[in-house]
Amino acid sequence: MKTAVHFSIFLFVCTMSFAQFDTNYEESQVREFNLPNPLTTFAGEKISNISEWSEKRRPELFEFFENQVYGKVPGKLDSASFKLLEENENALNGKARRKQVEVTLSKNEKSIRFTILMFLPKKSSATPIFLGYNFFGNHTITNDANVIVSEAWAMNSEEMHISDHRLTEASRGLRGHRWAIEKILEGGFGLATIYYGEIDPDKYDLSDGLHELFYEKRQERPKNNEWGSLAAWAFGYSSALDYFEQDRDVDPTKVVVFGHSRLGKAALWAGASDQRFAGVISNASGCGGAALSKRRFGETINVINTSFPHWFCRNFKKYNNNEEALAVDQHQLLTLIAPTPVYVASAQDDQWADPKGEFLSAYHASTVYALFNKKGIATNQMPELHTPIHTAVGYHIRAGKHDVTDYDWEQYIKWANEVLELNQ
Ligand code: GCU
């Protein structure tokens, strides 16, 4: 089965939940569908300039994605506070500065805490950074023994030696291959990462994590149009950005938000809902991320809502096996990020995430970037493997499986340098 490799992390969930679905991997079997035009309003009006886009079309599209796809954030925090837990001038064999900062988010007399791990280039101040969640704890991205192991709930994983829902010392460094820290530092960027489970545990239980802070008395789950886990993770990305605005070591106008897979979906929604980000990178985000839903290729809305009922808002379930009824598609999620540069990346063997659907999304979003005079993807023909496109809407497809590789990071570093106009 092609999908087996892709699911290696969550193998048991996958064998249990995906066997029942009929997945299409044949291009010839993709049915015809109508792709909604980003530049035509729901009422049929044509949009031809930035002010019409910003005043009419963007707000109605954003509202649709909020109420029907990812869910609205119900209100505002009461407070956020930041505490430097630890810093070191000579981390990674003297190549970097390390900082670990605890963020506390509070509301209704409840709070959650998460830790941002940062590696920063030694000789610079106010540095641009990549911000990305990790799946199994900050300590998995490096062998550095000083990185704190989080106490938050974790998904069990044989590969990571996690069996009792607790993160463990035994997985220190095991995800180092997904984080090209040295290349990032040499490229002039810092890296900041957070364990995503500290924001909202990735399980079908919305009574904990960030959601819980926002509940009224006796409320146990969000309303139909309110946030699932993806929107909570997106909110966490924005909370990290709130912190960067107070940290002189980081340039808060140059924070590029990055995410892989489900966290790529969260990064895209973060970029759409918070226009302070300077760039947005979706690595293999697939269904509910960059991939067009109406193609029904690989993972579908029905499959994702059934396997991960907590990711989107409950209204999104209306579209299970009913994509025709959906007034938007995921290319329009990318247009909500415009004019901020966005990069979509796919892997050839990752058919579950529908590389072609990810590419077409980037292509069809480009008309909105053009309104802003920003270069996007000029042709609907997919580029060859390892032929990256580094315009304001960026794209590449590489050989190999669902993963984050050095090749991916090399592209992100080059692209971010170009679109943020660094080194000029
Ligand atoms: C599953 C899921 C995908 C998701 C991926 C991941 O494969 O079906 O939608 O992107 O997990 O986050 O690793």
Side-chain angles (χ1 to χ4, degrees):
M1 217 169 85
K2 256 185 190 164
T3 51
V5 180
H6 180 109
F7 298 147
S8 59
I9 319 169
F10 304 108
L11 201 55
F12 77 96
V13 179
C14 304
T15 19
M16 284 180 55
S17 18
F18 296 104
Q20 52 183 306
F21 300 112
D22 225 2
T23 302
N24 176 39
Y25 290 117
E26 290 301 326
E27 201 51 44
S28 62
Q29 298 299 310
V30 173
R31 289 184 266 172
E32 271 193 27
F33 57 91
N34 284 327
L35 197 64
N37 186 340
L39 295 178
T40 308
T41 65
F42 291 135
E45 254 178 276
K46 297 269 171 253
I47 298 295
S48 49
N49 57 49
I50 296 177
S51 67
E52 288 172 0
W53 167 257
S54 312
E55 281 152 36
K56 287 190 195 159
R57 182 59 169 153
R58 190 183 185 281
E60 68 169 14
L61 268 180
F62 184 74
E63 199 186 315
F64 190 95
F65 275 96
E66 258 197 322
N67 285 289
Q68 301 291 320
V69 185
Y70 300 99
K72 275 171 101 81
V73 180
K76 291 201 161 40
L77 289 170
D78 292 342
S79 66
S81 61
F82 314 112
K83 182 171 146 197
L84 179 63
L85 298 178
E86 188 268 345
E87 75 182 314
N88 186 290
E89 295 296 318
N90 275 308
L92 305 180
N93 298 323
K95 293 195 183 111
R97 297 181 54 205
R98 182 186 63 238
K99 286 173 90 164
Q100 300 186 74
V101 174
E102 184 178 80
V103 178
T104 304
L105 306 180
S106 308
K107 188 173 175 68
N108 294 328
E109 284 155 27
K110 292 174 271 187
S111 53
I112 62 160
R113 279 178 297 171
F114 64 90
T115 302
I116 309 177
L117 164 68
M118 302 158 73
F119 287 114
L120 302 170
K122 278 187 85 167
K123 281 195 215 90
S124 71
S125 58
T127 172
I129 59 166
F130 291 103
L131 164 69
Y133 284 123
N134 59 73
F135 280 83
F136 291 105
N138 294 348
H139 67 299
T140 61
I141 79 152
T142 165
N143 286 320
D144 182 340
N146 297 294
V147 175
I148 301 163
V149 181
S150 162
E151 287 172 9
W153 181 93
M155 181 110 48
N156 285 340
S157 156
E158 229 175 283
E159 183 197 348
M160 290 287 139
H161 313 293
I162 301 172
S163 56
D164 55 359
H165 296 299
R166 292 277 150 242
L167 295 175
T168 165
E169 183 57 46
S171 37
R172 189 174 296 277
L174 290 188
R175 278 290 164 87
H177 59 280
R178 282 197 175 172
W179 299 90
I181 304 178
E182 290 195 13
K183 286 188 199 290
I184 291 171
L185 293 166
E186 280 158 20
F189 285 80
L191 173 67
T193 189
I194 302 162
Y195 169 49
Y196 84 131
E198 290 192 322
I199 309 292
D200 186 39
D202 193 358
K203 54 182 170 164
Y204 186 27
D205 170 5
L206 294 166
S207 68
D208 53 11
L210 195 51
H211 297 100
E212 196 201 345
L213 306 190
F214 288 76
Y215 288 146
E216 323 255 313
K217 279 215 173 79
R218 281 187 289 281
Q219 187 184 354
E220 276 166 16
R221 60 177 199 183
K223 297 185 184 133
N224 289 353
N225 70 336
E226 288 177 355
W227 54 352
S229 294
L230 289 168
W233 296 324
F235 187 98
Y237 274 134
S238 289
S239 301
L241 185 45
D242 293 339
Y243 163 71
F244 298 134
E245 287 183 339
Q246 320 221 344
D247 183 336
R248 292 226 188 115
D249 292 329
V250 174
D251 181 344
T253 68
K254 295 193 171 56
V255 177
V256 178
V257 61
F258 156 86
H260 169 58
S261 209
R262 68 196 65 187
L263 301 174
K265 308 180 210 294
L268 290 172
W269 183 235
S273 48
D274 187 340
Q275 298 210 291
R276 293 174 301 165
F277 288 107
V280 180
I281 299 171
S282 138
N283 192 90
S285 61
C287 179
L292 292 178
S293 303
K294 290 176 192 276
R295 278 170 49 78
R296 298 176 53 94
F297 187 104
E299 187 173 29
T300 62
I301 294 179
N302 179 42
V303 174
I304 205 164
N305 277 333
T306 308
S307 314
F308 305 99
H310 54 295
W311 282 3
F312 299 86
C313 71
R314 259 181 304 146
N315 279 340
F316 195 46
K317 297 197 171 63
K318 289 194 277 195
Y319 306 101
N320 288 356
N321 292 322
N322 188 21
E323 287 82 355
E324 317 72 62
L326 191 56
V328 298
D329 208 331
Q330 295 303 108
H331 60 308
Q332 292 168 316
L333 169 65
L334 305 185
T335 68
L336 292 176
I337 298 169
T340 301
V342 63
Y343 197 122
V344 173
S346 314
Q348 187 183 31
D349 300 342
D350 189 14
Q351 295 296 310
W352 180 247
D354 186 14
K356 183 160 183 194
E358 295 182 315
F359 168 75
L360 288 175
S361 231
Y363 167 68
H364 288 291
S366 297
T367 52
V368 173
Y369 281 80
L371 273 191
F372 288 91
N373 250 328
K374 299 255 176 184
K375 262 206 184 148
I377 301 200
T379 154
N380 64 2
Q381 294 307 302
M382 275 184 88
E384 299 292 315
L385 290 181
H386 309 128
T387 315
I389 301 171
H390 284 180
T391 46
V393 183
Y395 181 81
H396 74 246
I397 177 163
R398 61 157 170 78
K401 62 177 179 142
H402 186 70
D403 203 352
V404 192
T405 66
D406 277 14
Y407 176 84
D408 296 320
W409 277 113
E410 282 157 21
Q411 306 319 312
Y412 302 149
I413 295 163
K414 261 196 222 152
W415 171 79
N417 264 300
E418 279 164 37
V419 295
L420 300 186
E421 297 175 5
L422 306 173
N423 304 325
Q424 293 195 352

